[in-house]
Amino acid sequence: MASSAAYADYCLVDIIGAQEVAAESAGYVWGEVVLGAAVLAVVVPFLSGSARSEDGSPPAVSSGSVFAVGALLVVTLATSFYATVKASDALARRTAPVTL
């Protein structure tokens, strides 16, 4: 029983430490949000028209192959996300050996 109590104390300390780190890093996250919003506020007004219209080229023609490649990329990305979540979950469920 002593080893499980020690393990529970270790887990509690680990959780408390994680909460402290999260609380301390909240300022950095909000700083990045403000910085990202500022960049968008500065850049978006300059985005007008397109390179094709500025060059005087004819409008782009859509084709099924372009749509198929885009759909393939979306499916590949979704599969990658799913595999990453499953691998992360499997790694999180592993238990570390308790050493005293």
Side-chain angles (χ1 to χ4, degrees):
M1 287 285 184
S3 65
S4 65
Y7 183 69
D9 289 342
Y10 171 76
C11 289
L12 181 60
V13 169
D14 191 35
I15 291 170
I16 292 170
Q19 289 173 347
E20 289 176 0
V21 169
E24 290 176 6
S25 63
Y28 294 113
V29 172
W30 283 111
E32 289 182 11
V33 168
V34 169
L35 184 62
V39 167
L40 288 176
V42 169
V43 172
V44 168
F46 292 106
L47 299 176
S48 61
S50 69
R52 275 185 195 276
S53 63
E54 304 242 344
D55 186 40
S57 300
V61 178
S62 299
S63 67
S65 63
V66 172
F67 177 76
V69 169
L72 178 66
L73 288 173
V74 168
V75 169
T76 304
L77 185 63
T79 304
S80 172
F81 285 164
Y82 179 78
T84 301
V85 167
K86 288 298 180 180
S88 176
D89 188 41
L91 289 172
R93 292 181 187 271
R94 291 179 18 184
T95 57
V98 177
T99 57
L100 297 174

